[in-house]
Amino acid sequence: MSNVAVIGAQWGDEGKGKIVDWLSERAEVVVRFQGGHNAGHTLVIGNTTYKLALLPSGVVRPGKLSIIGSGVVVDPWAFLDEIGRVAKQGLILKPGDLLLSETACLILPVHRLIDQAREAARGDGKIGTTGRGIGPAYEDKVGRRAVRVADLAESETLKAKSAYLADYHNAYLRGLGEAEIDPDELLAALLEIAPKILPFAGRVWDQLDKAVVAGKRILFEGAQAVMLDVDHGTYPYVTSSNTVAGQAATGSGIGPTSIGYVLGIAKAYTTRVGAGPFPTELTDETGNLLGERGHEFGTNTGRKRRCGWFDAVMVRQAIKTGGINGIALTKLDVLDGFETLRVCTGYKLDGAVIDHYPAGQAAQTRVEPIYEDLEGWSDSTYGARSWAQLPAQAIKYIRRIEELIEAPVALLSTSPEREDTILVKDPFAGRP
């Protein structure tokens, strides 16, 4: 059997939570490998809805080892808060159930201050961050000044790093007219929380190596999506980490040969949160209808998502750069009742037809979608669990998407309920 990496194939919010939960029942280890607590996953288990941000989706399944890898930036206060929140729903997480990489970097209060101050200073040029300090934390990581989980066990290391971070960041805060941070207060806060975090810390690479040797199924859970990748997305309107499948290896501490099947998640239409280019965006009643039917609001932020038609050009590019073997297509039922559906098959840029998403920031805002119109369907697809339960036109829509994105649909989701899933190709069986 193969290990599986799950990544988003659009701009995030594709429904990864449900798909990861659906797959996690068959996995023995579930790993988060990048991002921070800005990525929300909603899981519906029976009559209980879990809204996760930092915790891997596998935590809702008893008997699974859930891991937060070194590629994740961790707000330790948000980490404990989320553990406490799910505990109120009856989900008690202990160190033996949840492992936090000792080499993961921490999000500190100063990172949130900088994130929010920077966005305010940008004015109309805002990137659209969640203001939770993700970007500044990654900046400190690559700048080799971050506080890591393992540092929490070394008071002298914390003292030195707190002083250095205060010196480094206060110059910037001072320039923006913001309040400066006190290194002693930062040190005291870290020393206070350290005993609560360290019991969860450990050698993730070692645990994963043992799992591979034992032949256990590992599920690698990505956050955000390929088109938000800091290298391959719509830069600068991207997240601060790599979201492609290659990061599953780097961000967890396992060799790339141990990752078998890469499953991309894509909605049957397109959404985006925050600023940035969006060629197929609909600002009319159709866009509002997609948002209402799809309940398009951020799990963690509550922000309204922008909606538009399916963009096959963008998803095809995400498949190639993300290393995706097959797609889980979600929210097909949102398209029920539309007389005509549109799919973007190409772009026009300054009069020329192109078949890719341009890299230039200005060019990305100028591309115009080229649409192909497809016949919609009137029957409901909600809750369908087999191809036989789908209208003929819905199947034609899916087949046409497969042709355009040059990848097969491996799973089809027809409602938030985990059982309402049509399995076409088992990702754990490996690549074809």
Side-chain angles (χ1 to χ4, degrees):
M1 299 298 283
S2 172
N3 299 322
V4 178
V6 176
I7 61 176
Q10 294 163 313
W11 279 303
D13 308 307
E14 300 97 347
K16 291 185 292 296
K18 172 195 167 172
I19 300 300
V20 168
D21 173 58
W22 191 87
L23 291 169
S24 69
E25 189 172 37
R26 301 183 59 204
E28 292 157 284
V29 182
V30 182
V31 188
R32 266 288 304 274
F33 58 84
Q34 52 77 218
H37 64 304
N38 55 340
H41 289 169
T42 300
L43 307 178
V44 181
I45 312 296
N47 295 323
T48 305
T49 299
Y50 298 97
K51 294 187 176 183
L52 306 180
L54 187 60
L55 298 178
S57 296
V59 296
V60 302
R61 295 287 167 198
K64 316 290 181 183
L65 174 60
S66 293
I67 292 176
I68 297 176
S70 59
V72 180
V73 286
V74 179
D75 183 322
W77 295 275
F79 174 74
L80 293 177
D81 179 70
E82 191 168 343
I83 289 174
R85 185 155 34 88
V86 298
K88 294 178 181 177
Q89 295 181 280
L91 185 61
I92 308 299
L93 298 178
K94 300 176 182 178
D97 307 317
L98 178 61
L99 178 63
L100 172 62
S101 173
E102 61 186 0
T103 57
C105 294
L106 300 182
I107 300 172
L108 305 175
V110 65
H111 296 135
R112 294 193 297 272
L113 288 174
I114 291 171
D115 202 356
Q116 293 164 14
R118 184 181 291 163
E119 278 288 89
R122 284 191 178 109
D124 293 338
K126 290 179 180 179
I127 299 295
T129 75
T130 59
R132 299 187 178 191
I134 312 296
Y138 274 115
E139 290 174 29
D140 275 355
K141 176 179 180 176
V142 298
R144 293 169 292 183
R145 56 183 171 266
V147 175
R148 304 202 299 177
V149 172
D151 296 335
L152 295 175
E154 302 177 356
S155 58
E156 289 303 312
T157 299
L158 287 181
K159 183 177 180 180
K161 286 193 171 184
S162 295
Y164 181 74
L165 286 170
D167 286 342
Y168 183 86
H169 288 302
N170 279 343
Y172 183 76
L173 291 169
R174 193 159 51 243
L176 290 177
E178 299 288 338
E180 299 180 30
I181 64 166
D182 184 330
D184 293 331
E185 290 182 3
L186 175 58
L187 175 60
L190 290 171
L191 289 174
E192 179 186 7
I193 203 167
K196 303 173 185 177
I197 298 294
L198 287 172
F200 291 95
R203 298 186 303 277
V204 163
W205 62 268
D206 188 40
Q207 286 291 322
L208 288 176
D209 180 65
K210 290 175 180 176
V212 170
V213 171
K216 294 184 177 180
R217 297 190 190 101
I218 306 172
L219 183 62
F220 298 90
E221 176 185 4
Q224 289 94 29
V226 173
M227 296 311 290
L228 291 175
D229 185 279
V230 70
D231 286 311
H232 303 290
T234 49
Y235 191 91
Y237 300 97
V238 293
T239 194
S240 299
S241 62
N242 288 111
T243 59
V244 294
Q247 180 64 19
T250 305
S252 57
I254 198 170
T257 54
S258 294
I259 299 169
Y261 192 90
V262 180
L263 180 68
I265 316 296
K267 281 177 182 168
Y269 52 102
T270 310
T271 63
R272 179 165 200 168
V273 171
F278 188 167
T280 65
E281 182 175 12
L282 298 169
T283 57
D284 56 9
E285 283 303 310
T286 300
N288 290 334
L289 184 58
L290 287 172
E292 290 171 6
R293 286 186 176 182
H295 306 290
E296 298 297 351
F297 294 91
T299 298
N300 285 324
T301 63
R303 291 190 294 180
K304 184 179 180 181
R305 297 174 186 142
R306 300 153 64 191
C307 299
W309 295 119
F310 187 87
D311 189 335
V313 181
M314 181 183 73
V315 175
R316 182 172 64 243
Q317 187 162 321
I319 285 169
K320 296 179 185 301
T321 59
I324 293 170
N325 301 116
I327 287 288
L329 194 66
T330 66
K331 292 198 170 186
L332 181 71
D333 55 291
V334 174
L335 301 181
D336 292 352
F338 281 93
E339 185 174 339
T340 302
L341 300 171
R342 312 196 86 184
V343 175
C344 175
T345 59
Y347 301 134
K348 284 184 180 179
L349 177 61
D350 302 330
V353 176
I354 60 174
D355 62 356
H356 63 278
Y357 214 114
Q361 184 176 346
Q364 289 177 358
T365 65
R366 295 201 308 276
V367 294
E368 302 174 27
I370 299 172
Y371 284 118
E372 177 179 320
D373 289 348
L374 300 172
E375 184 181 349
W377 55 89
S378 57
D379 293 337
S380 174
T381 63
Y382 187 88
R385 299 183 183 180
S386 69
W387 288 105
Q389 294 176 308
L390 296 176
Q393 294 306 323
I395 296 175
K396 288 182 180 179
Y397 181 79
I398 296 165
R399 296 304 186 205
R400 182 56 179 149
I401 283 178
E402 289 180 316
E403 293 174 353
L404 292 169
I405 65 175
E406 300 176 12
V409 170
L411 287 91
L412 185 67
S413 172
T414 57
S415 92
E417 297 293 333
R418 64 184 308 277
E419 293 82 5
D420 295 338
T421 305
I422 300 173
L423 176 64
V424 182
K425 156 72 180 176
D426 182 1
F428 281 115
R431 296 192 204 74

